[in-house]
Amino acid sequence: MEKDITNWQNLWKEEKSTPLDLNKLITHLNKIEKKGKLERIILLAAVPVTIIVLATLLPILSNIYYLISIIIISFGMIMILIQSYRSKYSLISNDAKLNNKKYIKNIIHKLKQRMLTTSRYMWFYTFLLVLGINIGYIAILQKFNISITVRIIIHLVFTVLMICIMYYSIEKRKKENNKIILPLIDFLENLN
Amino acid sequence: MKNKEQKFKKVYEQSKDKIHRLCLGFMGNKTDADDLFQEILIKVWNNLNTFRNESSIDTWIYRITTNTALLTLNRKTKLNKKEIDYQPNIPHYEIENLNSTDKEQEVKKLYKAISSLKEIDRIIIGLLLENCSYDEISNITGLKTSNVGVRINRIKKTLSKKLK
């Protein structure tokens, strides 16, 4: 058996890599790195930029309803962004730190987190979004001379509409997850 | 940035053949192995800042290689299933090359046999053939050293059968 191993080792080491243009490769890697950094900056800047834009365009500070509305929606956005950031970008640094077993476990955990973002956090976000926008609408509708019944109907129609839109997009994302993430989790769990 | 580039060049020169062999042993065909090789180089570049000189460069590079391989394989398997309808994905080592020597044929046969093993077994035998000790293999795979020994014996028997 030991002779076999030595023989296989000699055959194994016959294979050599094809030469690469290393300078061209480094230029390419630098480009990928810059693109990745930019993506992360955009993702991190999205919330504060949105808040600043809204604060500039809307008189949020002069109206308590607008202010509460913006705070609730921002909280929801931050929550989703943190979840997405955790499950997507933090994968990079673990490639060399973890052994195969821990790496697989870690990836499975992150994939499950991503599934959870769709199934649980997105609904929580929907709730915050509907709540936030409805609070904002209280202030908007106060400016019009309409009865309380009509106002309630407007709130209800808007709420149902928002829930339907979010339900459609969450279900769509769930289907995509079931098609891509579930088989990957299954594959990783069966590696032994 | 220049420092990073120098470091990358050094790691590349030192490890390119090892990475290439592990990729080929894992994927079983040149095209997929080349794709995996490139993906690993990207990860090496991204992880370069996490490498500390006091730890073994080999363990560091093997972890990146094997972790990336495990994650890539699922994607490749799915892609190949899709491609098979209109374009048969012929493994590199199934193409009979009339000009290749006996030794080349033996090398091809070995890599083909290794790529037909279970995923973790491919990694274990690849690392063993790269002269890694049982402890190093245990450190990279996360399996217990005793388990590595048991698996290696089993892999040796399977490979011997396949290569007869």
Side-chain angles (χ1 to χ4, degrees):
Chain A
M1 199 62 90
E2 281 314 307
K3 207 179 156 192
D4 274 348
I5 285 287
T6 316
N7 184 31
W8 295 341
Q9 235 159 12
N10 292 334
L11 291 172
W12 173 263
K13 287 186 178 169
E14 282 290 312
E15 268 294 337
K16 302 278 180 231
S17 65
T18 327
L20 278 175
D21 183 344
L22 208 51
N23 290 325
K24 206 174 161 186
L25 177 72
I26 289 174
T27 313
H28 184 62
L29 288 169
N30 271 322
K31 270 186 198 168
I32 294 174
E33 193 177 19
K34 272 182 196 162
K35 202 181 155 205
K37 268 184 191 166
L38 194 70
E39 269 179 23
R40 268 176 269 185
I41 290 168
I42 290 171
L43 193 69
L44 286 172
V47 177
V49 167
T50 310
I51 294 167
I52 291 166
V53 167
L54 286 172
T56 319
L57 294 177
L58 299 169
I60 54 166
L61 295 173
S62 62
N63 188 312
I64 189 73
Y65 290 110
Y66 288 151
L67 189 64
I68 293 170
S69 171
I70 295 297
I71 289 171
I72 290 173
I73 296 169
S74 304
F75 177 73
M77 282 174 79
I78 291 167
M79 181 190 72
I80 291 293
L81 283 172
I82 289 171
Q83 276 299 313
S84 311
Y85 199 87
R86 267 189 190 166
S87 59
K88 193 176 176 187
Y89 290 103
S90 56
L91 282 176
I92 297 166
S93 59
N94 289 331
D95 298 317
K97 269 192 235 162
L98 305 175
N99 61 42
N100 297 153
K101 214 172 171 181
K102 283 184 183 162
Y103 183 78
I104 291 168
K105 220 171 150 184
N106 192 262
I107 295 279
I108 292 172
H109 174 73
K110 283 182 193 297
L111 290 171
K112 283 183 178 169
Q113 280 286 320
R114 211 179 286 181
M115 300 274 289
L116 206 65
T117 304
T118 316
S119 61
R120 191 185 295 168
Y121 291 102
M122 279 302 279
W123 275 117
F124 192 53
Y125 174 64
T126 305
F127 169 74
L128 292 176
L129 191 68
V130 170
L131 183 73
I133 294 178
N134 267 312
I135 290 170
Y137 261 89
I138 293 173
I140 295 169
L141 294 174
Q142 265 175 352
K143 290 177 187 167
F144 302 97
N145 195 16
I146 43 177
S147 70
I148 187 84
T149 320
V150 176
R151 279 167 66 174
I152 290 170
I153 290 169
I154 292 172
H155 279 289
L156 281 176
V157 168
F158 177 77
T159 304
V160 171
L161 200 73
M162 280 298 291
I163 290 174
C164 285
I165 293 168
M166 290 306 281
Y167 174 80
Y168 176 75
S169 77
I170 290 170
E171 282 303 306
K172 198 180 160 196
R173 199 185 274 195
K174 262 189 184 173
K175 272 185 194 167
E176 278 170 19
N177 284 350
N178 289 343
K179 212 170 145 188
I180 300 162
I181 299 179
L182 273 184
L184 181 57
I185 291 175
D186 192 47
F187 168 80
L188 291 169
E189 279 178 339
N190 286 312
L191 284 175
N192 55 47
Chain B
M1 191 56 87
K2 285 281 164 217
N3 187 28
K4 188 176 181 180
E5 288 174 11
Q6 291 300 324
K7 212 169 161 182
F8 180 78
K9 279 182 186 175
K10 200 179 156 192
V11 172
Y12 175 80
E13 289 303 335
Q14 216 174 315
S15 314
K16 59 181 180 185
D17 291 334
K18 293 173 191 173
I19 302 173
H20 168 76
R21 287 192 286 264
L22 284 169
C23 291
L24 201 51
F26 201 81
M27 303 309 281
N29 68 79
K30 207 100 178 167
T31 315
D32 287 344
D34 285 346
D35 286 349
L36 177 59
F37 186 76
Q38 279 183 27
E39 205 161 323
I40 290 163
L41 291 183
I42 294 172
K43 293 218 172 172
V44 167
W45 177 266
N46 287 337
N47 283 278
L48 218 50
N49 296 332
T50 70
F51 176 66
R52 301 278 172 270
N53 284 327
E54 61 266 25
S55 61
S56 156
I57 178 84
D58 283 341
T59 307
W60 186 81
I61 210 91
Y62 289 144
R63 275 191 175 173
I64 294 180
T65 304
T66 53
N67 282 337
T68 312
L70 285 170
L71 210 57
T72 308
L73 191 67
N74 172 66
R75 206 166 60 228
K76 282 289 170 195
T77 314
K78 264 195 294 184
L79 264 176
N80 290 350
K81 271 183 196 162
K82 278 184 191 170
E83 282 170 1
I84 213 143
D85 291 337
Y86 60 95
Q87 188 191 333
N89 185 24
I90 307 160
H92 172 72
Y93 286 121
E94 281 180 11
I95 302 168
E96 287 298 326
N97 187 346
L98 296 172
N99 296 325
S100 60
T101 61
D102 284 351
K103 195 165 191 178
E104 279 170 344
Q105 288 295 339
E106 271 187 89
V107 174
K108 287 174 185 180
K109 212 175 158 188
L110 174 72
Y111 276 92
K112 195 185 162 191
I114 290 173
S115 69
S116 68
L117 297 169
K118 278 183 183 176
E119 293 84 359
I120 301 289
D121 289 351
R122 291 178 215 174
I123 290 174
I124 294 173
I125 191 68
L127 294 172
L128 185 79
L129 296 177
E130 286 294 339
N131 292 331
C132 285
S133 68
Y134 284 19
D135 281 340
E136 279 173 308
I137 296 174
S138 161
N139 193 2
I140 294 157
T141 58
L143 296 168
K144 283 182 184 161
T145 312
S146 55
N147 195 2
V148 170
V150 173
R151 274 179 178 255
I152 284 174
N153 281 328
R154 205 173 60 201
I155 298 166
K156 279 179 191 171
K157 280 177 194 163
T158 316
L159 262 189
S160 295
K161 272 187 203 164
K162 284 180 189 279
L163 292 169
K164 264 180 190 169

